[in-house]
Amino acid sequence: DTGVSQDPRHKITKRGQNVTFRCDPISEHNRLYWYRQTLGQGPEFLTYFQNEAQLEKSRLLSDRFSAERPKGSFSTLEIQRTEQGDSAMYLCATNQGADYNEQFFGPGTRLTVL
Amino acid sequence: AQSVTQLDSQVPVFEEAPVELRCNYSSSVSVYLFWYVQYPNQGLQLLLKYLSGSTLVKGINGFEAEFNKSQTSFHLRKPSVHISDTAEYFCAVSDRGDTGTASKLTFGTGTRLQVML
């Protein structure tokens, strides 16, 4: 257990539905990252926050995806109008932005879109 | 843009034998390098990292890796593997940010290490 938690661990939804995932970081970590991992691939970067500011978004993050970190603590990732291609493991990672480079990963949320 | 190539998708090895998992990277700027391990149904765990200094870095569980700038490689090694080392291993790279801290990670596709009795 790295101290980063994600909820839910598994989500099954029908195509076209909206889903929201939550990540709770290690308390003193000011940077929070979202990655997506599909079967047989390494994680791919989606977006990251420093405190409440979203500093970078990948081109992978279509308009249907939105992420927030309203108070600089937990973060949510929402996918609207889900598609089968959204089926993946969504990983959250956090670290302390200054002088600490290791990213601590949560266990992930596995999304299955039927 | 950065990229990471893990040359072997699967590596079968007998218990107590040595193993090397290969990783090559491409980047136009200075980088930090990482190896993560992912056990079944678990999150990614850092094995070791290269930030600067000595090119041979030692990590947890007896793993080590050597940074070779001229060959842009960061191969992972263990002199004697155990059945519990069976897992997926990911090499990752990150740009050195403006303040010298790492930002987003770019991962390779992973190498499945299968340790056999």
Side-chain angles (χ1 to χ4, degrees):
Chain A
D1 184 359
T2 62
V4 179
S5 60
Q6 292 187 246
D7 184 68
R9 294 290 304 274
H10 303 274
K11 178 71 177 178
I12 300 173
T13 191
K14 293 182 179 178
R15 188 176 54 184
Q17 297 295 305
N18 299 343
V19 294
T20 300
F21 311 139
R22 176 179 170 124
C23 172
D24 285 274
I26 295 170
S27 60
E28 64 268 25
H29 285 186
N30 61 352
R31 286 195 176 196
L32 187 148
Y33 306 77
W34 285 99
Y35 294 85
R36 180 172 66 186
Q37 184 178 18
T38 53
L39 201 61
Q41 300 296 316
E44 295 174 297
F45 169 77
L46 293 178
T47 188
Y48 89 88
F49 294 83
Q50 180 155 327
N51 300 311
E52 64 275 9
Q54 189 172 17
L55 297 186
E56 187 173 350
K57 290 193 291 186
S58 164
R59 288 172 294 175
L60 291 175
L61 213 64
S62 77
D63 291 344
R64 297 184 296 105
F65 287 70
S66 62
E68 294 183 340
R69 195 182 183 197
K71 297 183 179 179
S73 57
F74 74 92
S75 175
T76 58
L77 177 68
E78 182 184 15
I79 309 174
Q80 295 183 325
R81 306 180 303 281
T82 52
E83 302 173 356
Q84 288 186 325
D86 297 331
S87 294
M89 178 75 85
Y90 290 84
L91 298 168
C92 173
T94 72
N95 69 355
Q96 183 69 2
D99 300 322
Y100 296 89
N101 299 291
E102 175 182 352
Q103 292 184 22
F104 292 83
F105 282 81
T109 294
R110 181 168 295 284
L111 173 66
T112 302
V113 182
L114 302 175
Chain B
Q2 303 162 321
S3 66
V4 177
T5 301
Q6 291 186 244
L7 298 167
D8 305 297
S9 59
Q10 293 187 64
V11 173
V13 63
F14 287 105
E15 193 172 15
E16 298 184 3
V19 70
E20 178 179 82
L21 306 183
R22 296 179 292 170
C23 172
N24 288 86
Y25 70 93
S26 172
S27 177
S28 57
V29 298
S30 296
V31 297
Y32 298 120
L33 293 156
F34 306 81
W35 276 98
Y36 279 84
V37 60
Q38 189 174 35
Y39 298 103
N41 300 316
Q42 294 186 30
L44 290 155
Q45 179 183 1
L46 182 70
L47 272 179
L48 48 77
K49 60 186 177 184
Y50 172 77
L51 304 180
S52 64
S54 173
T55 57
L56 183 64
V57 292
K58 294 188 182 297
I60 62 171
N61 300 339
F63 284 93
E64 64 181 31
E66 186 157 18
F67 170 57
N68 187 317
K69 188 174 182 180
S70 63
Q71 296 187 5
T72 61
S73 67
F74 190 54
H75 299 335
L76 180 70
R77 302 184 184 101
K78 187 170 183 178
S80 176
V81 296
H82 189 267
I83 194 77
S84 60
D85 293 323
T86 295
E88 191 86 17
Y89 291 80
F90 293 96
C91 181
V93 63
S94 176
D95 280 347
R96 292 175 183 264
D98 291 341
T99 58
T101 58
S103 57
K104 65 180 184 287
L105 295 170
T106 299
F107 286 86
T109 52
T111 297
R112 170 79 176 162
L113 176 63
Q114 181 67 52
V115 180
M116 302 172 293
L117 293 172

